[in-house]
């Protein structure tokens, strides 16, 4: 027993100097991180004694405990997970073949057992001394990330550098968490950029946490500290199922204690408001977990519960760019919708937008291709899809935001909803262009036509008369209609034509 204890201690004791360096940067050690995320005493470690077997260039005398990565299984709030954490105190957490094979083994377990995978990344990237073997290791990880996609939830936590090809494993996973001042992600670092392009930039400004959460959209959750990040991970795990064959855990239903819906939306149709107040007013406990809150804020996506069951919510945000759809917001919503569909999470969509954002920048950035992702994602989804039109629903925006025509199961509209090809001003200007120009008082004539158009079309009743809207409901009825629709959709089935897979406009 003594020999075992000694061997165990040798394998788990961090090198004091490396541990001191880690602490000085405000970073926990790899084992401390795992313990902080998992339920107490639930971690079961495997492959502790796996060693680096090659005698590569410069590595002959190196001791690499666990080959720089810790792997195992445990639980989070009783929810089973497979987990790995790269150990920066061992060769900078660099990835060699034995290191990679420990990761791919725990990934294989996660896929077979049908449990989520959590990866904690803190690494200098491909282990330079191992040459092509370290590249092989990355490739084997990417391959499994792809096989696991849509089968088990995959979560990446970036808690240190994540450089080179290493960033592609997180990018292939479902959710990426970053921590201020600690996380750094980039394909090529500042040194290479300086050499190749002559541009100077710090690591933080190039690929720090804020950049990834706000500018690039590579990260889904941003925290100020590792402790806050772990709380976010634990909360997310409660909303998602173990795998694609299960539903997310059910919780006790909790009515919201939010302000009355009637008071949230201003009567003037162009005045902004925070759509998250609407979401909180209808979901259990007014508790909404927003995903990618800092990026493409003109659309809001996230998880909530209705009657104790997880739903994915998607909503235009009138507070940012009037809630228009553009390149980034289409990408953001489409990815979230595909996650929900893959993992049996019903979708509830709230609509209030003037349409797609016009402009040369957007056209040249590929708004056609990106916007099409949203059409594809909603049309492809077979989970229950329920839509509430709050206010404006014009043009392509109306169609794209989970309209009946893209397969919504239920579409409800508030009485103040405006559903038409375009807003009254634009419509009157186009239809009556000639008459306005010829009128004795063009402005008065134009205003009269705007009013006529508003009275006739800018309401939910034309859509309701055509069956495109199932019910015009008072705002205070929203939760009741949603709960009922979700309840009766519990066993929804929808067959699709057989195919290997679709070809979405990636
Ligand atoms: C081997 C590495 C390493 C690597 C760091 N180390 N990165 N060993 N291969 N890629 C080792 C260091 O030699 C050092 O060992 C220990 O880890 C700690 O590193 P430091 O440099 O002292 O730490 P720090 O100052 O905090 O800097 C961290 C760092 C820096 C920014 C990550 O180490 C760095 O720039 N590393 C190289 C990053 C890189 O270019 N990686 C390859 C990317 S290419 P000792 O023994 O001194 O403690 C790639 C291709 C993959 O990943 C493609 C897949 C498709």
């Amino acid at each position: 027993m003594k020999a075992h204890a000694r061997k165990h201690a040798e394998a788990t004791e961090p090198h004091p100097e490396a541990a001191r360096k880690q602490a000085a940067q405000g970073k926990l050690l790899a084992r401390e991180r795992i313990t902080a995320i998992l339920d107490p005493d639930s971690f079961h470690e495997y492959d502790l004694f796996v060693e680096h077997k090659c005698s590569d260039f410069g590595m002959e005398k190196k001791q690499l405990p666990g080959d720089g990565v810790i792997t195992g299984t445990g639980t989070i709030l009783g929810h089973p997970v497979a987990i790995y954490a790269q150990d920066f105190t061992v060769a900078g957490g660099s990835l060699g073949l034995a290191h990679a094979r420990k990761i791919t083994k725990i990934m294989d377990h996660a896929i077979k057992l049908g449990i989520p995978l959590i990866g904690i990344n803190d690494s200098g990237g491909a282990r330079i001394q191992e040459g092509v073997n370290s590249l092989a290791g990355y490739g084997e990880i990417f391959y499994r990330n792809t096989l696991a996609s849509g089968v088990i939830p995959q979560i990446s936590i970036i808690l240190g550098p994540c450089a080179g090809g290493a960033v592609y494993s997180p990018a292939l996973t479902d959710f990426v968490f970053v921590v201020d001042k600690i996380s750094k992600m980039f394909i090529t670092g500042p040194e290479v950029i300086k050499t190749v392009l002559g541009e100077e930039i710090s690591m933080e400004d190039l690929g720090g946490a804020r950049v990834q959460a706000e500018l690039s959209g590579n990260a889904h959750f941003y925290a100020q500290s590792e402790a806050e990040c772990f709380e976010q991970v634990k909360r997310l795990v409660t909303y998602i199922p173990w795998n694609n064959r299960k539903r997310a855990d059910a919780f006790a239903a909790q009515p919201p204690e939010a302000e009355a819906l009637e008071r949230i939306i201003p009567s003037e149709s162009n005045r902004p408001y925070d759509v998250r107040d609407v979401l909180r007013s209808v979901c259990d406990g007014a508790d909404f977990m927003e995903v990618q809150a800092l990026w493409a804020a003109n659309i809001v996506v996230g998880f909530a519960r209705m009657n104790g069951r997880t739903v994915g919510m998607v909503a235009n945000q009138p507070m940012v760019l009037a809630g228009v759809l553009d390149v980034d917001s289409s990408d953001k919503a489409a990815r979230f919708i595909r996650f929900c569909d893959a993992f049996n999470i019903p979708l509830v969509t709230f609509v209030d937008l003037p349409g797609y954002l016009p402009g040369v920048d957007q056209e040249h950035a590929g708004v056609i291709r990106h916007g099409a992702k949203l059409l594809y994602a909603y049309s492809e989804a077979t989970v229950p899809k329920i839509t509430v039109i709050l206010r404006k629903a014009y043009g392509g925006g109306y169609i794209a935001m989970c309209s009946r025509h893209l397969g919504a199961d239920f579409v409800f509209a508030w009485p103040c909803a405006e559903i038409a090809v375009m807003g009254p001003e634009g419509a009157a200007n186009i239809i009556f262009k000639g008459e306005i120009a010829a009128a004795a008082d063009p402005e008065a004539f134009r205003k009269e036509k705007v009013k006529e158009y508003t009275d006739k079309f800018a309401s939910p009743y034309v859509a309701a008369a055509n069956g495109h809207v199932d019910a015009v409901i008072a705002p205070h009825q929203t939760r009741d209609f949603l709960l009922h629709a979700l309840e009766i959709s519990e066993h929804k089935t929808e067959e699709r034509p057989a195919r290997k897979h679709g070809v979405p406009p990636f």
Side-chain angles (χ1 to χ4, degrees), residues 58-80:
M59 303 286 282
E60 297 84 356
K61 296 198 177 74
K62 288 220 174 199
Q63 290 283 309
L64 301 181
D67 208 44
V69 66
I70 296 158
T71 60
T73 51
T75 58
I76 293 179
L77 304 170
H79 203 104

PDB file of all heavy atoms in Angstrom, residues 58-80:
ATOM      1  N   GLY A  58      14.856  16.418 -27.058  1.00  0.00           N
ATOM      2  CA  GLY A  58      14.828  17.280 -25.874  1.00  0.00           C
ATOM      3  C   GLY A  58      13.946  16.785 -24.752  1.00  0.00           C
ATOM      4  O   GLY A  58      13.827  17.454 -23.724  1.00  0.00           O
ATOM      5  N   MET A  59      13.301  15.620 -24.893  1.00  0.00           N
ATOM      6  CA  MET A  59      12.349  15.184 -23.864  1.00  0.00           C
ATOM      7  C   MET A  59      12.885  14.004 -23.048  1.00  0.00           C
ATOM      8  O   MET A  59      12.198  13.507 -22.171  1.00  0.00           O
ATOM      9  CB  MET A  59      11.024  14.739 -24.520  1.00  0.00           C
ATOM     10  CG  MET A  59      10.353  15.752 -25.370  1.00  0.00           C
ATOM     11  SD  MET A  59       9.578  17.053 -24.420  1.00  0.00           S
ATOM     12  CE  MET A  59       8.096  16.252 -23.869  1.00  0.00           C
ATOM     13  N   GLU A  60      14.108  13.550 -23.385  1.00  0.00           N
ATOM     14  CA  GLU A  60      14.592  12.300 -22.807  1.00  0.00           C
ATOM     15  C   GLU A  60      14.539  12.298 -21.288  1.00  0.00           C
ATOM     16  O   GLU A  60      14.188  11.309 -20.656  1.00  0.00           O
ATOM     17  CB  GLU A  60      16.041  12.011 -23.256  1.00  0.00           C
ATOM     18  CG  GLU A  60      16.205  11.807 -24.763  1.00  0.00           C
ATOM     19  CD  GLU A  60      16.353  13.120 -25.532  1.00  0.00           C
ATOM     20  OE1 GLU A  60      16.254  14.188 -24.911  1.00  0.00           O
ATOM     21  OE2 GLU A  60      16.563  13.073 -26.756  1.00  0.00           O
ATOM     22  N   LYS A  61      14.913  13.417 -20.669  1.00  0.00           N
ATOM     23  CA  LYS A  61      15.019  13.416 -19.206  1.00  0.00           C
ATOM     24  C   LYS A  61      13.794  14.013 -18.540  1.00  0.00           C
ATOM     25  O   LYS A  61      13.755  14.211 -17.338  1.00  0.00           O
ATOM     26  CB  LYS A  61      16.257  14.214 -18.801  1.00  0.00           C
ATOM     27  CG  LYS A  61      17.560  13.597 -19.293  1.00  0.00           C
ATOM     28  CD  LYS A  61      18.747  14.163 -18.499  1.00  0.00           C
ATOM     29  CE  LYS A  61      20.046  13.502 -18.930  1.00  0.00           C
ATOM     30  NZ  LYS A  61      20.525  13.953 -20.242  1.00  0.00           N
ATOM     31  N   LYS A  62      12.810  14.381 -19.310  1.00  0.00           N
ATOM     32  CA  LYS A  62      11.647  15.078 -18.724  1.00  0.00           C
ATOM     33  C   LYS A  62      10.701  14.106 -18.043  1.00  0.00           C
ATOM     34  O   LYS A  62      10.432  13.028 -18.560  1.00  0.00           O
ATOM     35  CB  LYS A  62      10.895  15.853 -19.804  1.00  0.00           C
ATOM     36  CG  LYS A  62      11.637  17.074 -20.264  1.00  0.00           C
ATOM     37  CD  LYS A  62      10.709  18.244 -20.481  1.00  0.00           C
ATOM     38  CE  LYS A  62      11.545  19.478 -20.809  1.00  0.00           C
ATOM     39  NZ  LYS A  62      10.877  20.702 -20.617  1.00  0.00           N
ATOM     40  N   GLN A  63      10.198  14.504 -16.880  1.00  0.00           N
ATOM     41  CA  GLN A  63       9.139  13.766 -16.205  1.00  0.00           C
ATOM     42  C   GLN A  63       7.836  14.450 -16.594  1.00  0.00           C
ATOM     43  O   GLN A  63       7.699  15.656 -16.394  1.00  0.00           O
ATOM     44  CB  GLN A  63       9.302  13.898 -14.682  1.00  0.00           C
ATOM     45  CG  GLN A  63      10.496  13.151 -14.119  1.00  0.00           C
ATOM     46  CD  GLN A  63      10.203  11.669 -14.047  1.00  0.00           C
ATOM     47  OE1 GLN A  63       9.181  11.278 -13.507  1.00  0.00           O
ATOM     48  NE2 GLN A  63      11.077  10.856 -14.602  1.00  0.00           N
ATOM     49  N   LEU A  64       6.919  13.708 -17.158  1.00  0.00           N
ATOM     50  CA  LEU A  64       5.659  14.335 -17.557  1.00  0.00           C
ATOM     51  C   LEU A  64       4.503  13.589 -16.896  1.00  0.00           C
ATOM     52  O   LEU A  64       3.867  12.729 -17.512  1.00  0.00           O
ATOM     53  CB  LEU A  64       5.496  14.308 -19.084  1.00  0.00           C
ATOM     54  CG  LEU A  64       6.575  14.999 -19.912  1.00  0.00           C
ATOM     55  CD1 LEU A  64       6.244  14.902 -21.393  1.00  0.00           C
ATOM     56  CD2 LEU A  64       6.707  16.457 -19.522  1.00  0.00           C
ATOM     57  N   PRO A  65       4.211  13.909 -15.609  1.00  0.00           N
ATOM     58  CA  PRO A  65       3.143  13.172 -14.921  1.00  0.00           C
ATOM     59  C   PRO A  65       1.821  13.243 -15.688  1.00  0.00           C
ATOM     60  O   PRO A  65       1.381  14.325 -16.082  1.00  0.00           O
ATOM     61  CB  PRO A  65       3.017  13.894 -13.576  1.00  0.00           C
ATOM     62  CG  PRO A  65       4.260  14.691 -13.424  1.00  0.00           C
ATOM     63  CD  PRO A  65       4.795  14.969 -14.798  1.00  0.00           C
ATOM     64  N   GLY A  66       1.263  12.051 -15.912  1.00  0.00           N
ATOM     65  CA  GLY A  66      -0.024  11.974 -16.611  1.00  0.00           C
ATOM     66  C   GLY A  66       0.034  12.507 -18.026  1.00  0.00           C
ATOM     67  O   GLY A  66      -0.988  12.729 -18.661  1.00  0.00           O
ATOM     68  N   ASP A  67       1.233  12.776 -18.500  1.00  0.00           N
ATOM     69  CA  ASP A  67       1.487  13.400 -19.800  1.00  0.00           C
ATOM     70  C   ASP A  67       0.747  14.733 -19.966  1.00  0.00           C
ATOM     71  O   ASP A  67       0.383  15.137 -21.072  1.00  0.00           O
ATOM     72  CB  ASP A  67       1.174  12.465 -20.973  1.00  0.00           C
ATOM     73  CG  ASP A  67       2.064  12.824 -22.179  1.00  0.00           C
ATOM     74  OD1 ASP A  67       3.263  13.060 -21.972  1.00  0.00           O
ATOM     75  OD2 ASP A  67       1.534  12.927 -23.294  1.00  0.00           O
ATOM     76  N   GLY A  68       0.519  15.405 -18.832  1.00  0.00           N
ATOM     77  CA  GLY A  68       0.018  16.780 -18.924  1.00  0.00           C
ATOM     78  C   GLY A  68      -1.480  16.918 -19.073  1.00  0.00           C
ATOM     79  O   GLY A  68      -1.967  18.009 -19.423  1.00  0.00           O
ATOM     80  N   VAL A  69      -2.222  15.844 -18.805  1.00  0.00           N
ATOM     81  CA  VAL A  69      -3.687  15.983 -18.860  1.00  0.00           C
ATOM     82  C   VAL A  69      -4.318  15.017 -17.861  1.00  0.00           C
ATOM     83  O   VAL A  69      -3.805  13.920 -17.638  1.00  0.00           O
ATOM     84  CB  VAL A  69      -4.231  15.771 -20.301  1.00  0.00           C
ATOM     85  CG1 VAL A  69      -4.022  14.349 -20.787  1.00  0.00           C
ATOM     86  CG2 VAL A  69      -5.705  16.152 -20.393  1.00  0.00           C
ATOM     87  N   ILE A  70      -5.388  15.468 -17.229  1.00  0.00           N
ATOM     88  CA  ILE A  70      -6.083  14.657 -16.227  1.00  0.00           C
ATOM     89  C   ILE A  70      -7.453  14.315 -16.805  1.00  0.00           C
ATOM     90  O   ILE A  70      -8.142  15.201 -17.321  1.00  0.00           O
ATOM     91  CB  ILE A  70      -6.232  15.479 -14.931  1.00  0.00           C
ATOM     92  CG1 ILE A  70      -4.836  15.766 -14.367  1.00  0.00           C
ATOM     93  CG2 ILE A  70      -7.092  14.762 -13.908  1.00  0.00           C
ATOM     94  CD1 ILE A  70      -4.791  16.948 -13.453  1.00  0.00           C
ATOM     95  N   THR A  71      -7.828  13.039 -16.747  1.00  0.00           N
ATOM     96  CA  THR A  71      -9.105  12.627 -17.348  1.00  0.00           C
ATOM     97  C   THR A  71      -9.920  11.784 -16.371  1.00  0.00           C
ATOM     98  O   THR A  71      -9.348  11.103 -15.518  1.00  0.00           O
ATOM     99  CB  THR A  71      -8.877  11.790 -18.625  1.00  0.00           C
ATOM    100  OG1 THR A  71      -8.129  10.626 -18.269  1.00  0.00           O
ATOM    101  CG2 THR A  71      -8.126  12.548 -19.693  1.00  0.00           C
ATOM    102  N   GLY A  72     -11.212  11.827 -16.489  1.00  0.00           N
ATOM    103  CA  GLY A  72     -12.046  10.996 -15.623  1.00  0.00           C
ATOM    104  C   GLY A  72     -13.520  11.284 -15.813  1.00  0.00           C
ATOM    105  O   GLY A  72     -13.932  11.938 -16.786  1.00  0.00           O
ATOM    106  N   THR A  73     -14.307  10.781 -14.878  1.00  0.00           N
ATOM    107  CA  THR A  73     -15.755  11.026 -14.898  1.00  0.00           C
ATOM    108  C   THR A  73     -16.204  11.451 -13.510  1.00  0.00           C
ATOM    109  O   THR A  73     -15.507  11.211 -12.520  1.00  0.00           O
ATOM    110  CB  THR A  73     -16.543   9.756 -15.299  1.00  0.00           C
ATOM    111  OG1 THR A  73     -16.104   8.677 -14.474  1.00  0.00           O
ATOM    112  CG2 THR A  73     -16.324   9.383 -16.745  1.00  0.00           C
ATOM    113  N   GLY A  74     -17.354  12.071 -13.438  1.00  0.00           N
ATOM    114  CA  GLY A  74     -17.899  12.517 -12.149  1.00  0.00           C
ATOM    115  C   GLY A  74     -19.311  13.015 -12.364  1.00  0.00           C
ATOM    116  O   GLY A  74     -19.938  12.712 -13.396  1.00  0.00           O
ATOM    117  N   THR A  75     -19.809  13.788 -11.419  1.00  0.00           N
ATOM    118  CA  THR A  75     -21.164  14.337 -11.583  1.00  0.00           C
ATOM    119  C   THR A  75     -21.168  15.834 -11.268  1.00  0.00           C
ATOM    120  O   THR A  75     -20.336  16.333 -10.515  1.00  0.00           O
ATOM    121  CB  THR A  75     -22.178  13.639 -10.645  1.00  0.00           C
ATOM    122  OG1 THR A  75     -21.739  13.790  -9.292  1.00  0.00           O
ATOM    123  CG2 THR A  75     -22.348  12.177 -10.972  1.00  0.00           C
ATOM    124  N   ILE A  76     -22.126  16.519 -11.897  1.00  0.00           N
ATOM    125  CA  ILE A  76     -22.388  17.932 -11.590  1.00  0.00           C
ATOM    126  C   ILE A  76     -23.854  18.003 -11.181  1.00  0.00           C
ATOM    127  O   ILE A  76     -24.734  17.696 -11.994  1.00  0.00           O
ATOM    128  CB  ILE A  76     -22.144  18.833 -12.817  1.00  0.00           C
ATOM    129  CG1 ILE A  76     -20.656  18.848 -13.171  1.00  0.00           C
ATOM    130  CG2 ILE A  76     -22.652  20.245 -12.566  1.00  0.00           C
ATOM    131  CD1 ILE A  76     -20.308  19.694 -14.382  1.00  0.00           C
ATOM    132  N   LEU A  77     -24.121  18.351  -9.943  1.00  0.00           N
ATOM    133  CA  LEU A  77     -25.487  18.384  -9.410  1.00  0.00           C
ATOM    134  C   LEU A  77     -26.201  17.064  -9.766  1.00  0.00           C
ATOM    135  O   LEU A  77     -27.347  17.053 -10.209  1.00  0.00           O
ATOM    136  CB  LEU A  77     -26.262  19.592  -9.952  1.00  0.00           C
ATOM    137  CG  LEU A  77     -25.604  20.952  -9.713  1.00  0.00           C
ATOM    138  CD1 LEU A  77     -26.295  22.066 -10.481  1.00  0.00           C
ATOM    139  CD2 LEU A  77     -25.566  21.299  -8.230  1.00  0.00           C
ATOM    140  N   GLY A  78     -25.466  15.976  -9.655  1.00  0.00           N
ATOM    141  CA  GLY A  78     -26.018  14.643  -9.912  1.00  0.00           C
ATOM    142  C   GLY A  78     -26.044  14.240 -11.374  1.00  0.00           C
ATOM    143  O   GLY A  78     -26.386  13.108 -11.705  1.00  0.00           O
ATOM    144  N   HIS A  79     -25.670  15.134 -12.265  1.00  0.00           N
ATOM    145  CA  HIS A  79     -25.699  14.923 -13.721  1.00  0.00           C
ATOM    146  C   HIS A  79     -24.335  14.323 -14.116  1.00  0.00           C
ATOM    147  O   HIS A  79     -23.320  14.971 -13.900  1.00  0.00           O
ATOM    148  CB  HIS A  79     -25.847  16.332 -14.309  1.00  0.00           C
ATOM    149  CG  HIS A  79     -26.420  16.447 -15.658  1.00  0.00           C
ATOM    150  ND1 HIS A  79     -27.704  16.848 -15.881  1.00  0.00           N
ATOM    151  CD2 HIS A  79     -25.879  16.279 -16.880  1.00  0.00           C
ATOM    152  CE1 HIS A  79     -27.926  16.922 -17.179  1.00  0.00           C
ATOM    153  NE2 HIS A  79     -26.838  16.581 -17.800  1.00  0.00           N
ATOM    154  N   PRO A  80     -24.262  13.108 -14.693  1.00  0.00           N
ATOM    155  CA  PRO A  80     -22.944  12.530 -14.978  1.00  0.00           C
ATOM    156  C   PRO A  80     -22.225  13.256 -16.111  1.00  0.00           C
ATOM    157  O   PRO A  80     -22.874  13.679 -17.087  1.00  0.00           O
ATOM    158  CB  PRO A  80     -23.276  11.094 -15.396  1.00  0.00           C
ATOM    159  CG  PRO A  80     -24.653  11.158 -15.909  1.00  0.00           C
ATOM    160  CD  PRO A  80     -25.356  12.251 -15.168  1.00  0.00           C
TER     161      PRO A  80
END
